[in-house]
Amino acid sequence: MRMRVLGIETSADDTGIALIEAEGKFGPDFKFKILANGVSSQKIHAEYGGIYPNLAKREHGRNLPLVLEKVLKESSGTTKDMPPADVIAVTYGPGLEPCLWTGITFAQELSKKWNVPIVPVNHMEGHILISMMENGRIADFEFPAIALLISGGHTELIHMKEFGTYKYIGRTRDDAVGEAFDKVARLLGFPYPGGPYISQLANDTQQCDEATPHRIHLPRPMIHENNFDFSFAGLKTAVLRLVEKHQPLSEEMKKTIAREFEDAVTDVLVYKTLRAVEECGASTVIMGGGVSANKHIRNELNQKLRAVGCQLLVCPPELSTDNGLMIALAGYFHALKKEFTDLASLKADGNLSIASLSK
Ligand code: KG4
Ligand code: ZN
């Protein structure tokens, strides 16, 4: 039976709404079509170097009706007399609670208006699920898998024995990797979110690597420790020292720092993920979250995993950052199991853990 799911995402600074039509259980029979996918990324945080939850909340409140209107206009087959979706999926955590609440309240209003149920979605599961998809179906891969989630708020390695089971095996002890990208970008004079700027600068120097050997060295934090945890706060401090030492910063030095920072982060992520693959006997790595848009991290991880016969699943870069599509997809599988919530008890949970989804 076909199901239309409207996904709503407001956990950080992106207001995302998507409408999908999906059918089939998790497996080869599953397929879905994107009817519309709208995201409005808030520009207001650029100058502050990070997200201000109350500003973000206000922006979500303004954007949600506009993005919904656009999505409904774009999606074919929706009429005024019929609810456009059979189910509403909404992110209830993890994330910034004031922001999560705007999405939840909006979902509750739509649910009453259209008389359709709500299924609550874990944001991180959304990142994992969207990376599992290929051409409207589930990619051909095998469990056990390791999920590497790298975003502005999270850096996690998760062991998935099968679909729907999640066991943390490692995480950051301080800053998330996206946060480190954003802080380093700020030190180099770029607006928030800075990950794409660092990535671009670093990429500019990739080609001339041999001609311009690294003149600086940054640490690879915790790379040789016998665990799967990460730490990126020290790396940011090391960049701060470099920036202070090389004042005024030349454009050349900015590129060199961006390149060495990206290399340091990539080395740690790749090394620890490979060790997790080995220890868990994983056949697949599923990479998700905004930082997985990074070309260098994708290429390096893919190359190293191939060498050990492990497959990398990752979504197109434009879907790596937050969006409603990933929430609609995750919501669909929970809706199949009729995991609907009663409206009044739906609450935001900023620290929601993905392990709580495991049976
Ligand atoms: O998943 P996401 O959209 O939001 C959270 O759930 O946190 O991730 C946003 C993060 C930001 O820190 C942003 O700088 C980073 O993803 N990011 C990147 C790239 N594109 C986005 N970091 C490195 N390289 C990129 N190309
Ligand atoms: Zn995210």
Side-chain angles (χ1 to χ4, degrees):
M1 201 187 70
R2 283 194 198 148
M3 197 194 296
R4 283 189 170 202
V5 186
L6 186 88
I8 302 176
E9 159 59 35
T10 61
S11 69
D13 59 337
D14 294 310
T15 314
I17 301 184
L19 185 63
I20 63 165
E21 187 170 83
E23 63 184 282
K25 285 198 185 126
F26 186 90
D29 293 338
F30 171 75
K31 57 180 180 185
F32 75 98
K33 266 195 310 203
I34 304 169
L35 303 182
N37 185 22
V39 182
S40 169
S41 298
Q42 302 176 2
K43 306 274 180 284
I44 197 158
H45 311 288
E47 59 186 293
Y48 300 111
I51 309 174
Y52 275 84
N54 283 326
L55 268 185
K57 172 187 156 178
R58 194 188 69 194
E59 290 298 297
H60 284 307
R62 282 189 190 153
N63 292 340
L64 278 166
L66 303 175
V67 180
L68 178 68
E69 196 186 313
K70 187 170 165 278
V71 162
L72 295 184
K73 234 186 232 166
E74 265 174 35
S75 45
S76 55
T78 54
T79 63
K80 285 225 152 30
D81 334 313
M82 251 176 36
D86 304 301
V87 178
I88 297 167
V90 63
T91 307
Y92 74 115
L96 302 167
E97 285 196 4
C99 297
L100 291 164
W101 273 116
T102 47
I104 289 174
T105 311
F106 192 68
Q108 285 167 325
E109 285 163 9
L110 290 180
S111 164
K112 280 187 211 148
K113 184 168 150 199
W114 296 341
N115 194 25
V116 295
I118 294 184
V119 63
V121 171
N122 181 306
H123 178 86
M124 304 317 286
E125 190 180 45
H127 277 306
I128 294 179
L129 274 173
I130 200 165
S131 288
M132 283 184 193
M133 302 297 157
E134 206 174 81
N135 302 324
R137 291 186 178 270
I138 295 166
D140 190 14
F141 75 96
E142 281 175 23
F143 286 105
I146 296 292
L148 171 65
L149 294 179
I150 44 178
S151 70
H154 294 261
T155 305
E156 289 160 358
L157 279 167
I158 294 162
H159 182 201
M160 295 175 67
K161 274 197 177 146
E162 56 190 358
F163 175 61
T165 70
Y166 306 97
K167 186 176 166 228
Y168 286 111
I169 56 172
R171 61 177 101 205
T172 183
R173 294 191 181 168
D174 41 56
D175 291 354
V177 65
E179 197 179 347
F181 265 97
D182 295 335
K183 286 179 176 170
V184 166
R186 191 155 200 227
L187 291 173
L188 301 186
F190 295 104
Y192 175 88
Y197 294 96
I198 296 287
S199 173
Q200 186 57 50
L201 268 194
N203 196 44
D204 290 348
T205 68
Q206 294 289 350
Q207 284 76 13
C208 53
D209 188 33
E210 300 311 320
T212 329
H214 290 199
R215 285 179 286 145
I216 54 169
H217 179 78
L218 288 171
R220 270 63 177 159
M222 297 182 72
I223 196 163
H224 292 303
E225 283 188 22
N226 194 20
N227 56 48
F228 298 108
D229 284 346
F230 301 93
S231 164
F232 293 107
L235 200 46
K236 182 215 68 190
T237 312
V239 171
L240 173 64
R241 294 223 181 87
L242 277 177
V243 169
E244 284 167 352
K245 188 171 151 200
H246 292 277
Q247 285 297 329
L249 268 192
S250 66
E251 288 308 306
E252 196 53 37
M253 184 46 85
K254 279 190 189 176
K255 285 185 184 169
T256 307
I257 292 176
R259 172 70 193 277
E260 175 61 7
F261 170 75
E262 191 180 73
D263 280 354
V265 165
T266 307
D267 284 353
V268 178
L269 292 174
V270 170
Y271 190 84
K272 292 234 160 175
T273 306
L274 276 161
R275 275 202 30 230
V277 163
E278 197 182 327
E279 185 148 318
C280 301
S283 311
T284 310
V285 168
I286 304 164
M287 177 162 71
V291 182
S292 71
N294 186 283
K295 226 185 196 166
H296 185 58
I297 297 174
R298 281 173 178 243
N299 291 343
E300 286 294 302
L301 189 59
N302 196 21
Q303 214 179 325
K304 298 285 186 330
L305 286 173
R306 268 191 194 189
V308 297
C310 185
Q311 188 180 355
L312 176 65
L313 299 184
V314 63
C315 64
E318 63 277 13
L319 295 178
S320 294
T321 44
D322 297 346
N323 58 75
L325 179 58
M326 64 190 222
I327 303 308
L329 282 168
Y332 170 77
F333 292 105
H334 291 286
L336 275 188
K337 292 191 268 170
K338 305 215 176 323
E339 290 170 1
F340 304 122
T341 175
D342 81 85
L343 288 196
S345 59
L346 180 56
K347 286 191 174 59
D349 182 352
N351 296 316
L352 183 68
S353 151
I354 199 170
S356 62
L357 288 171
S358 297
K359 288 140 252 168

